[in-house]
Amino acid sequence: MIAGLTLLMTPVGSSPVAACAVFVWLGFFGLGWYGPWVAYVTESAPPDKTGFALGLAMSVNQVAIVVMPPALGLLEDGTGSFTPVWGLLSLLTAVALMLTARGERRVARQSEKL
């Protein structure tokens, strides 16, 4: 995801054919996340908090789905370029990856203690 979004910030992103190819690739890998994400959220939650964790995650996800398109559109309108939009999405993806990795390391350490 980060590589594809970064690629869109280069001159490749200015070519409609190349950008479409990147969008297809991002769509396949970026939009196919929902089912595995739901499974990950439920498996990561404590057994007695699964419903709460899934409900909270789904609520935050839905708010992001509503807020991000207009926010990214305003960013593009304000800057006159999609480069900051792709950069912001790349940054948010990297942050999510780091937070997930940190959580996984924490869970692994707790499992080792048991």
Side-chain angles (χ1 to χ4, degrees), residues 31-42:
L31 297 177
W33 58 268
Y34 201 73
W37 173 74
V38 170
Y40 175 76
V41 168
T42 56

Side-chain angles (χ1 to χ4, degrees), residues 60-74:
V60 170
N61 183 54
Q62 292 303 312
V63 169
I65 286 171
V66 170
V67 170
M68 288 307 288
L72 294 174
L74 284 171

Side-chain angles (χ1 to χ4, degrees), residues 42-55:
T42 56
E43 290 176 3
S44 299
D48 59 334
K49 301 288 185 201
T50 303
F52 175 78
L54 188 57

Side-chain angles (χ1 to χ4, degrees), residues 6-16 18-20 22-23 82 86:
T6 301
L7 192 59
L8 289 170
M9 291 188 286
T10 69
V12 171
S14 300
S15 163
C20 282
V22 173
F23 289 137
F82 279 102
W86 304 134

